[in-house]
Amino acid sequence: MLDAIRYLVAGGISWRAMPADFPDWGRVYAFFRRWRELGLITEFHDRLRGRVREREGREAEPTGGIIDAQSVKAAASVPSVSCGWDGGKKVGGRKRHIVTDCLGLLLVVAVTAANVGDRDAAVGLVRVLV
């Protein structure tokens, strides 16, 4: 099931386009939905991040983070309600806000309209971390 979900995410394919050597797409989706609702996807990610950090000789839980943001153009299919204009970068669309540890492993991700300031988004990101 995990390999099927990883394949789907890496390839950017639709659920119904799952290759035949994986379980039926409906079963895979049902597992994924259940895992997401129970918060297991986040738990899987956090445990794997901890193992990678330990393998690098660090504590499993990071004590610091790096915050960054990137404005990206929105596709035509993105609702205009969730888009904005980043005047500094002169980009209309959305903005990705991320927090990583010093190894570059993800801690928190948020997507906002491009007009949301980095400082305002950082407040929400830090609240999730604490």
Side-chain angles (χ1 to χ4, degrees):
M1 291 296 175
L2 280 175
D3 287 342
I5 293 168
R6 288 178 51 222
Y7 181 87
L8 177 114
V9 172
I13 64 171
S14 68
W15 287 103
R16 293 178 189 267
M18 189 79 64
D21 34 336
F22 289 118
D24 178 63
W25 75 268
R27 275 190 75 209
V28 176
Y29 178 70
F31 270 88
F32 172 77
R33 189 179 61 203
R34 196 170 323 133
W35 290 346
R36 186 185 59 202
E37 289 169 359
L38 296 172
L40 295 177
I41 300 292
T42 303
E43 186 174 334
F44 292 159
H45 176 267
D46 293 347
R47 285 185 183 193
L48 286 171
R49 183 185 62 232
R51 287 188 179 175
V52 169
R53 289 182 54 81
E54 288 172 343
R55 196 174 321 143
E56 293 294 322
R58 299 184 175 267
E59 294 292 324
E61 288 299 317
T63 57
I66 302 160
I67 301 176
D68 197 9
Q70 180 182 24
S71 296
V72 292
K73 291 181 182 177
S77 60
V78 175
S80 60
V81 175
S82 65
C83 293
W85 178 256
D86 182 348
K89 300 227 172 59
K90 298 188 177 21
V91 173
R94 291 182 171 174
K95 193 179 283 189
R96 299 185 280 239
H97 306 271
I98 64 168
V99 180
T100 65
D101 66 1
C102 62
L103 297 175
L105 302 173
L106 286 175
L107 300 175
V108 182
V109 177
V111 177
T112 65
N115 60 323
V116 174
D118 295 350
R119 182 177 20 196
D120 297 331
V123 171
L125 293 171
V126 170
R127 281 191 187 128
V128 172
L129 285 172
V130 176

